[in-house]
Amino acid sequence: MSDKFIVRISEQAPTAPWSADALLSFDQLGAIVHLQQNETLKLVQKAARSLSQQGVKQVVLQGDAWCTESQWAFYQGFVTAKQLDGVEFVDNEQSDLAELAALKNAATWTRQMINGTAEDVYPESLASKAAEFIQSLAPEHVSYNIIKGNALLEHQWIGIHEVGRGSERPPVLLELDYNPTGDEDAPVSAALVGKGITFDSGGYSIKPSEGMLSMKCDMGGAATVTAGLAIAIQRGIDKRIKLFLCCAENLISGHAYKLGDILTYKNGTTVEIVNTDAEGRLVLADGLMAAGETGAPLIIDAATLTGAALVAVGQEYNALFGLDKALVSEVQQFAEEEFEAAWPLPLEKWHQNNCPSPYADTANSRAQKGGGYGGASNAAGFLSRFVPNEGQGWVHIDLAASFQNSAGSLWSAGATTLGMRTVARTLQAKA
């Protein structure tokens, strides 16, 4: 007898002895998910989560009622940080198995990275693992370079170097080129930038222990844009795309950067450090300038950047920012089409001036808890100083929904992967 558990879908209410509003019922074959008219995908995910919590380890989805999205919702609810597999998808007319395989491939890698320990996923290993993952999908079209340690200074990538210099493990910038055109002079259609802080102690602006516990997830932006590119490749994108991962550990030592330091960036912008825990924007500034140097008309960055975004939109949405309002609106629509919730928050040119410094062009935050009022918009305003074309063609995703500190009714604890499909769809539609 197979140890796999059969799961079917029904639009009919369960019969006795189950209550009429029960989400799940059981028979000799396995489980039946009973759908209601509203929030169908959430109900499927909730049912999968319930089965997983009951100790079911292997399931086979069965029947013609399943579709691509309902199967993916079930998978997302079923898997955990300890078990990244266990769902056998059904092949029917409503389902695209190739798409499900692409999503699963990207999601598995993303969870392995975000849920992995900082001892295993450190700056250079994150960059190497990301490059190897993308190269495995299209080996003939991928080349990459890892700039490491003091070599960053030779390229004037001051932010990544400063944030990461307190660790014994050197900071790195990954530059990856996906070029399926066969033309080494082909224009770059899009550039992706990801925050890769593999552990964030807060530096001298040290986090409390409970706030530091989950900070292995602070490289979620790097994982998300890498996974987004992976999905786009598996969906057949044929445009040249560059990927920049800004990777560092933010630790305390005699070599760590300090409050009051002033950084001079490659574009001449000077930045006073008033909070070493506002480090993500410092490394992303380098990545955004590197992306701008490619001439790409589309730049997408993703980062677990601010607690303020979490306060604003909760853990159900990612927050969107951009000076290019039309692009932000499009990305919100792409997110909806990919069943990933995203919501725009304010960003105007004047947000660049919301972190003033008497010693530099800007500070990296405000000397207030959480960066003060409007912290997520002010962080985006800081980033906007480092993008080309007055921000046209650039969108910033603050990944409020990419990680769950504890298990709930829809997700296990850990990475959710929310955001990767939004990045992939934006690349497909706009690159």
Side-chain angles (χ1 to χ4, degrees):
M1 178 180 292
S2 172
D3 59 353
K4 294 182 180 179
F5 192 79
I6 293 173
V7 181
R8 292 154 290 157
I9 281 182
S10 173
E11 295 182 354
Q12 304 299 317
T15 57
W18 314 102
S19 65
D21 59 353
L23 178 57
L24 281 166
S25 68
F26 299 86
D27 60 17
Q28 67 274 16
L29 295 178
I32 303 170
V33 181
H34 297 276
L35 300 184
Q36 301 173 20
Q37 290 185 347
N38 298 322
E39 298 187 319
T40 298
L41 294 180
K42 278 192 173 182
L43 290 174
V44 171
Q45 186 170 338
K46 188 175 181 179
R49 180 85 188 109
S50 177
L51 290 172
S52 179
Q53 288 177 307
Q54 291 177 51
V56 178
K57 298 298 184 185
Q58 299 282 332
V59 300
V60 177
L61 305 185
Q62 189 178 92
D64 292 334
W66 291 100
C67 66
T68 303
E69 294 302 337
S70 60
Q71 293 200 72
W72 183 243
F74 188 96
Y75 173 87
Q76 290 282 66
F78 191 80
V79 296
T80 69
K82 294 180 180 179
Q83 180 168 318
L84 298 176
D85 207 340
V87 178
E88 184 177 316
F89 298 123
V90 62
D91 186 5
N92 60 28
E93 291 185 358
Q94 291 75 244
S95 300
D96 184 342
L97 289 186
E99 171 71 1
L100 287 166
L103 294 177
K104 179 181 175 182
N105 188 30
T108 299
W109 184 85
T110 301
R111 286 192 168 93
Q112 289 172 335
M113 294 300 102
I114 295 178
N115 295 336
T117 69
E119 186 64 22
D120 295 327
V121 183
Y122 50 92
E124 190 171 3
S125 79
L126 173 60
S128 296
K129 290 174 188 292
E132 291 164 4
F133 177 48
I134 297 300
Q135 199 164 53
S136 72
L137 301 173
E140 70 278 16
H141 299 318
V142 175
S143 60
Y144 66 91
N145 181 39
I146 295 176
I147 304 173
K148 174 181 173 182
N150 289 333
L152 291 162
L153 297 178
E154 299 172 15
H155 293 266
Q156 300 182 60
W157 302 134
I158 187 72
I160 300 171
H161 181 271
E162 290 298 296
V163 170
R165 73 183 193 183
S167 173
E168 293 182 357
R169 290 169 164 165
V172 305
L173 173 65
L174 170 67
E175 303 176 333
L176 182 143
D177 186 4
Y178 168 69
N179 186 5
T181 68
D183 178 5
E184 63 181 18
D185 296 320
V188 177
S189 295
L192 302 173
V193 182
K195 173 187 171 184
I197 302 297
T198 57
F199 188 77
D200 183 16
S201 72
Y204 281 106
S205 305
I206 192 168
K207 294 177 181 289
S209 181
E210 63 271 19
M212 206 186 297
L213 177 61
S214 62
M215 281 299 103
K216 63 183 181 181
C217 82
D218 212 18
M219 39 62 65
T224 298
V225 292
T226 302
L229 175 57
I231 293 169
I233 290 172
Q234 290 173 97
R235 288 176 175 177
I237 196 166
D238 60 358
K239 303 295 184 181
R240 188 178 188 182
I241 299 166
K242 290 202 171 185
L243 172 71
F244 299 91
L245 302 187
C246 312
C247 307
E249 286 183 322
N250 186 23
L251 300 182
I252 296 172
S253 74
H255 299 290
Y257 78 126
K258 304 169 185 69
L259 284 82
D261 286 354
I262 294 178
L263 311 185
T264 301
Y265 277 88
K266 192 173 185 177
N267 66 355
T269 301
T270 56
V271 178
E272 181 192 5
I273 305 303
V274 302
N275 187 339
T276 60
D277 196 23
E279 86 296 330
R281 65 201 71 180
L282 297 175
V283 302
L284 284 174
D286 285 337
L288 288 170
M289 286 187 291
E293 289 178 359
T294 70
L298 173 67
I299 298 175
I300 307 168
D301 82 74
T304 50
L305 200 64
T306 66
L310 276 165
V311 172
V313 299
Q315 289 186 294
E316 294 75 33
Y317 288 79
N318 289 322
L320 303 177
F321 298 86
L323 297 172
D324 187 335
K325 308 301 184 187
L327 178 59
V328 170
S329 180
E330 285 183 290
V331 174
Q332 183 183 12
Q333 180 61 37
F334 299 149
E336 183 176 333
E337 291 169 0
E338 292 286 341
F339 300 93
E340 293 184 336
W343 199 258
L345 292 180
L347 178 62
E348 302 296 341
K349 190 79 170 178
W350 51 261
H351 280 105
Q352 292 182 356
N353 302 314
N354 273 14
C355 298
S357 166
Y359 307 106
D361 295 329
T362 183
N364 71 323
S365 185
R366 289 177 176 171
Q368 301 171 26
K369 184 177 180 179
Y373 295 134
S377 294
N378 296 339
F382 179 92
L383 295 180
S384 72
R385 290 175 172 267
F386 300 93
V387 295
N389 306 320
E390 297 296 312
Q392 295 304 296
W394 163 66
V395 64
H396 161 57
I397 308 175
D398 199 328
L399 293 168
S402 69
F403 189 85
Q404 301 284 325
N405 286 328
S406 57
S409 63
L410 293 173
W411 302 98
S412 66
T416 66
T417 77
L418 293 177
M420 67 175 192
R421 295 180 65 178
T422 302
V423 172
R425 175 61 68 93
T426 305
L427 288 176
Q428 290 175 279
K430 300 296 291 183

